[in-house]
Short mmCIF file of all heavy atoms in Angstrom, two decimals:
data_model
loop_
_atom_site.label_atom_id
_atom_site.label_comp_id
_atom_site.label_asym_id
_atom_site.label_seq_id
_atom_site.Cartn_x
_atom_site.Cartn_y
_atom_site.Cartn_z
N LEU A 468 8.96 25.07 15.14
CA LEU A 468 7.79 24.65 14.35
C LEU A 468 6.91 23.72 15.12
O LEU A 468 5.69 23.84 15.11
CB LEU A 468 8.26 24.00 13.05
CG LEU A 468 8.98 24.88 12.04
CD1 LEU A 468 9.46 24.05 10.84
CD2 LEU A 468 8.00 25.99 11.57
N ALA A 469 7.55 22.78 15.88
CA ALA A 469 6.75 21.89 16.72
C ALA A 469 6.00 22.62 17.79
O ALA A 469 4.86 22.30 18.11
CB ALA A 469 7.66 20.80 17.30
N GLN A 470 6.66 23.60 18.35
CA GLN A 470 6.00 24.40 19.41
C GLN A 470 4.81 25.17 18.85
O GLN A 470 3.75 25.26 19.49
CB GLN A 470 6.99 25.38 20.03
CG GLN A 470 6.48 26.05 21.30
CD GLN A 470 7.60 26.87 21.95
OE1 GLN A 470 8.67 27.03 21.45
NE2 GLN A 470 7.27 27.46 23.12
N GLN A 471 4.99 25.73 17.69
CA GLN A 471 3.87 26.43 17.06
C GLN A 471 2.71 25.47 16.78
O GLN A 471 1.56 25.80 17.02
CB GLN A 471 4.32 27.09 15.74
CG GLN A 471 5.27 28.23 15.92
CD GLN A 471 5.75 28.81 14.59
OE1 GLN A 471 5.29 28.40 13.53
NE2 GLN A 471 6.65 29.78 14.68
N GLU A 472 3.03 24.29 16.29
CA GLU A 472 2.01 23.34 15.99
C GLU A 472 1.33 22.88 17.30
O GLU A 472 0.10 22.65 17.32
CB GLU A 472 2.65 22.12 15.29
CG GLU A 472 1.62 21.06 14.86
CD GLU A 472 0.60 21.59 13.88
OE1 GLU A 472 0.99 22.52 13.10
OE2 GLU A 472 -0.50 21.07 13.84
N GLU A 473 2.13 22.75 18.39
CA GLU A 473 1.54 22.38 19.61
C GLU A 473 0.60 23.42 20.19
O GLU A 473 -0.46 23.11 20.72
CB GLU A 473 2.68 22.13 20.64
CG GLU A 473 2.18 21.52 21.96
CD GLU A 473 3.37 21.25 22.89
OE1 GLU A 473 4.52 21.52 22.54
OE2 GLU A 473 3.09 20.73 24.05
N LYS A 474 0.97 24.70 20.01
CA LYS A 474 0.07 25.78 20.42
C LYS A 474 -1.24 25.75 19.61
O LYS A 474 -2.35 25.91 20.17
CB LYS A 474 0.76 27.11 20.22
CG LYS A 474 1.87 27.38 21.20
CD LYS A 474 2.49 28.78 21.04
CE LYS A 474 3.60 29.03 22.02
NZ LYS A 474 4.24 30.34 21.80
N LYS A 475 -1.11 25.55 18.31
CA LYS A 475 -2.33 25.46 17.50
C LYS A 475 -3.19 24.27 17.94
O LYS A 475 -4.40 24.37 18.02
CB LYS A 475 -1.95 25.29 16.02
CG LYS A 475 -1.32 26.54 15.45
CD LYS A 475 -0.95 26.30 13.99
CE LYS A 475 -0.30 27.54 13.38
NZ LYS A 475 0.11 27.28 11.94
N SER A 476 -2.54 23.16 18.24
CA SER A 476 -3.28 21.96 18.67
C SER A 476 -3.96 22.28 20.00
O SER A 476 -5.13 21.88 20.25
CB SER A 476 -2.34 20.79 18.81
OG SER A 476 -3.04 19.66 19.33
N GLU A 477 -3.26 22.96 20.93
CA GLU A 477 -3.87 23.30 22.21
C GLU A 477 -5.09 24.20 22.06
O GLU A 477 -6.10 24.08 22.72
CB GLU A 477 -2.82 23.96 23.11
CG GLU A 477 -3.24 24.18 24.57
CD GLU A 477 -3.50 22.83 25.28
OE1 GLU A 477 -2.83 21.83 24.85
OE2 GLU A 477 -4.34 22.80 26.19
N GLN A 478 -4.95 25.17 21.11
CA GLN A 478 -6.06 26.08 20.84
C GLN A 478 -7.27 25.29 20.27
O GLN A 478 -8.45 25.57 20.66
CB GLN A 478 -5.65 27.19 19.87
CG GLN A 478 -4.64 28.13 20.47
CD GLN A 478 -4.11 29.14 19.41
OE1 GLN A 478 -4.54 29.03 18.22
NE2 GLN A 478 -3.25 30.05 19.82
N ARG A 479 -6.99 24.35 19.39
CA ARG A 479 -8.09 23.58 18.88
C ARG A 479 -8.72 22.75 19.96
O ARG A 479 -9.98 22.59 20.05
CB ARG A 479 -7.57 22.66 17.75
CG ARG A 479 -7.22 23.41 16.47
CD ARG A 479 -7.00 22.44 15.31
NE ARG A 479 -5.86 21.60 15.52
CZ ARG A 479 -4.66 21.85 15.07
NH1 ARG A 479 -4.45 22.99 14.41
NH2 ARG A 479 -3.66 21.06 15.26
N LYS A 480 -7.94 22.16 20.84
CA LYS A 480 -8.48 21.36 21.96
C LYS A 480 -9.31 22.24 22.89
O LYS A 480 -10.44 21.84 23.33
CB LYS A 480 -7.35 20.72 22.75
CG LYS A 480 -6.64 19.62 22.05
CD LYS A 480 -5.54 19.01 22.94
CE LYS A 480 -4.81 17.87 22.19
NZ LYS A 480 -3.72 17.32 23.04
N ARG A 481 -8.83 23.49 23.17
CA ARG A 481 -9.57 24.37 24.05
C ARG A 481 -10.90 24.76 23.40
O ARG A 481 -11.94 24.84 24.06
CB ARG A 481 -8.71 25.60 24.32
CG ARG A 481 -9.31 26.50 25.46
CD ARG A 481 -8.47 27.71 25.70
NE ARG A 481 -7.11 27.35 26.07
CZ ARG A 481 -6.03 27.58 25.34
NH1 ARG A 481 -6.13 28.12 24.18
NH2 ARG A 481 -4.84 27.21 25.80
N ALA A 482 -10.87 24.99 22.07
CA ALA A 482 -12.13 25.36 21.40
C ALA A 482 -13.10 24.22 21.42
O ALA A 482 -14.31 24.41 21.62
CB ALA A 482 -11.80 25.77 19.93
N ARG A 483 -12.62 22.99 21.23
CA ARG A 483 -13.52 21.87 21.29
C ARG A 483 -14.07 21.65 22.71
O ARG A 483 -15.28 21.29 22.87
CB ARG A 483 -12.82 20.58 20.85
CG ARG A 483 -12.53 20.52 19.33
CD ARG A 483 -12.16 19.11 18.91
NE ARG A 483 -10.91 18.71 19.51
CZ ARG A 483 -9.70 18.85 18.85
NH1 ARG A 483 -9.69 19.40 17.65
NH2 ARG A 483 -8.60 18.42 19.45
N ALA A 484 -13.26 21.88 23.72
CA ALA A 484 -13.74 21.74 25.10
C ALA A 484 -14.80 22.83 25.37
O ALA A 484 -15.85 22.51 26.05
CB ALA A 484 -12.56 21.89 26.05
N GLU A 485 -14.57 24.04 24.92
CA GLU A 485 -15.57 25.04 25.15
C GLU A 485 -16.90 24.74 24.44
O GLU A 485 -17.98 24.95 24.96
CB GLU A 485 -15.09 26.40 24.64
CG GLU A 485 -13.89 26.98 25.43
CD GLU A 485 -13.32 28.18 24.87
OE1 GLU A 485 -13.83 28.61 23.76
OE2 GLU A 485 -12.45 28.84 25.46
N LYS A 486 -16.79 24.20 23.23
CA LYS A 486 -17.96 23.84 22.49
C LYS A 486 -18.72 22.70 23.21
O LYS A 486 -19.97 22.72 23.29
CB LYS A 486 -17.56 23.37 21.10
CG LYS A 486 -18.76 23.14 20.18
CD LYS A 486 -18.25 22.82 18.76
CE LYS A 486 -19.43 22.61 17.81
NZ LYS A 486 -18.97 22.27 16.43
N ARG A 487 -18.02 21.69 23.72
CA ARG A 487 -18.68 20.64 24.45
C ARG A 487 -19.34 21.15 25.74
O ARG A 487 -20.49 20.75 26.09
CB ARG A 487 -17.68 19.53 24.79
CG ARG A 487 -17.27 18.68 23.61
CD ARG A 487 -16.57 17.40 24.07
NE ARG A 487 -15.32 17.73 24.75
CZ ARG A 487 -14.14 17.78 24.15
NH1 ARG A 487 -14.05 17.56 22.85
NH2 ARG A 487 -13.04 18.06 24.87
N ALA A 488 -18.64 22.03 26.44
CA ALA A 488 -19.22 22.59 27.67
C ALA A 488 -20.48 23.41 27.34
O ALA A 488 -21.47 23.34 28.11
CB ALA A 488 -18.18 23.48 28.35
N PHE A 489 -20.41 24.13 26.26
CA PHE A 489 -21.60 24.92 25.88
C PHE A 489 -22.78 24.03 25.54
O PHE A 489 -23.93 24.32 25.91
CB PHE A 489 -21.21 25.81 24.69
CG PHE A 489 -22.41 26.59 24.11
CD1 PHE A 489 -23.06 27.51 24.84
CD2 PHE A 489 -22.83 26.30 22.85
CE1 PHE A 489 -24.12 28.18 24.28
CE2 PHE A 489 -23.90 26.99 22.28
CZ PHE A 489 -24.56 27.92 23.03
N LYS A 490 -22.53 22.92 24.83
CA LYS A 490 -23.58 22.00 24.49
C LYS A 490 -24.21 21.40 25.76
O LYS A 490 -25.43 21.23 25.86
CB LYS A 490 -23.07 20.93 23.55
CG LYS A 490 -22.81 21.40 22.14
CD LYS A 490 -22.33 20.23 21.29
CE LYS A 490 -22.12 20.74 19.85
NZ LYS A 490 -21.66 19.60 18.97
N LYS A 491 -23.33 21.01 26.75
CA LYS A 491 -23.85 20.44 27.97
C LYS A 491 -24.69 21.46 28.71
O LYS A 491 -25.76 21.11 29.27
CB LYS A 491 -22.69 20.00 28.83
CG LYS A 491 -21.95 18.75 28.35
CD LYS A 491 -20.80 18.38 29.25
CE LYS A 491 -20.10 17.17 28.74
NZ LYS A 491 -18.97 16.79 29.63
N MET A 492 -24.26 22.73 28.77
CA MET A 492 -25.02 23.75 29.41
C MET A 492 -26.39 23.96 28.79
O MET A 492 -27.38 24.12 29.43
CB MET A 492 -24.21 25.05 29.43
CG MET A 492 -24.84 26.20 30.20
SD MET A 492 -23.85 27.70 30.13
CE MET A 492 -22.37 27.13 30.86
N ARG A 493 -26.40 23.95 27.43
CA ARG A 493 -27.65 24.14 26.75
C ARG A 493 -28.62 23.01 26.98
O ARG A 493 -29.81 23.19 27.16
CB ARG A 493 -27.37 24.27 25.22
CG ARG A 493 -28.53 24.84 24.49
CD ARG A 493 -28.13 25.33 23.08
NE ARG A 493 -27.66 24.17 22.30
CZ ARG A 493 -27.30 24.27 21.03
NH1 ARG A 493 -27.36 25.45 20.45
NH2 ARG A 493 -26.86 23.23 20.34
N LYS A 494 -28.08 21.74 26.99
CA LYS A 494 -28.97 20.62 27.32
C LYS A 494 -29.49 20.70 28.74
O LYS A 494 -30.69 20.46 28.94
CB LYS A 494 -28.18 19.34 27.14
CG LYS A 494 -27.86 19.00 25.68
CD LYS A 494 -27.08 17.68 25.62
CE LYS A 494 -26.72 17.34 24.16
NZ LYS A 494 -26.00 16.08 24.07
N ALA A 495 -28.65 21.13 29.68
CA ALA A 495 -29.14 21.26 31.07
C ALA A 495 -30.23 22.28 31.17
O ALA A 495 -31.24 22.13 31.87
CB ALA A 495 -27.99 21.62 31.94
N LYS A 496 -30.05 23.44 30.46
CA LYS A 496 -31.10 24.49 30.49
C LYS A 496 -32.38 24.01 29.86
O LYS A 496 -33.46 24.35 30.38
CB LYS A 496 -30.58 25.73 29.78
CG LYS A 496 -29.47 26.47 30.58
CD LYS A 496 -29.10 27.73 29.83
CE LYS A 496 -28.02 28.50 30.61
NZ LYS A 496 -27.66 29.75 29.95
N ALA A 497 -32.25 23.25 28.79
CA ALA A 497 -33.49 22.70 28.16
C ALA A 497 -34.22 21.81 29.13
O ALA A 497 -35.49 21.86 29.19
CB ALA A 497 -33.13 22.02 26.86
N GLY A 498 -33.51 20.97 29.88
CA GLY A 498 -34.19 20.13 30.80
C GLY A 498 -34.83 20.88 31.94
O GLY A 498 -35.95 20.62 32.38
N ASP A 499 -34.15 21.98 32.46
CA ASP A 499 -34.72 22.79 33.48
C ASP A 499 -35.95 23.51 33.00
O ASP A 499 -36.90 23.66 33.74
CB ASP A 499 -33.69 23.80 33.95
CG ASP A 499 -32.51 23.11 34.66
OD1 ASP A 499 -32.67 21.92 35.02
OD2 ASP A 499 -31.43 23.72 34.77
#
Side-chain angles (χ1 to χ4, degrees):
L468 293 175
Q470 189 174 5
Q471 292 178 3
E472 184 62 28
E473 187 178 1
K474 288 181 179 178
K475 292 180 181 179
S476 177
E477 189 65 28
Q478 291 174 359
R479 289 193 294 266
K480 289 181 180 179
R481 190 181 300 112
R483 287 195 294 267
E485 292 176 356
K486 188 175 181 180
R487 287 195 296 267
F489 173 66
K490 288 182 178 180
K491 290 181 180 180
M492 184 181 299
R493 194 166 63 178
K494 289 180 180 179
K496 289 184 178 181
D499 294 342

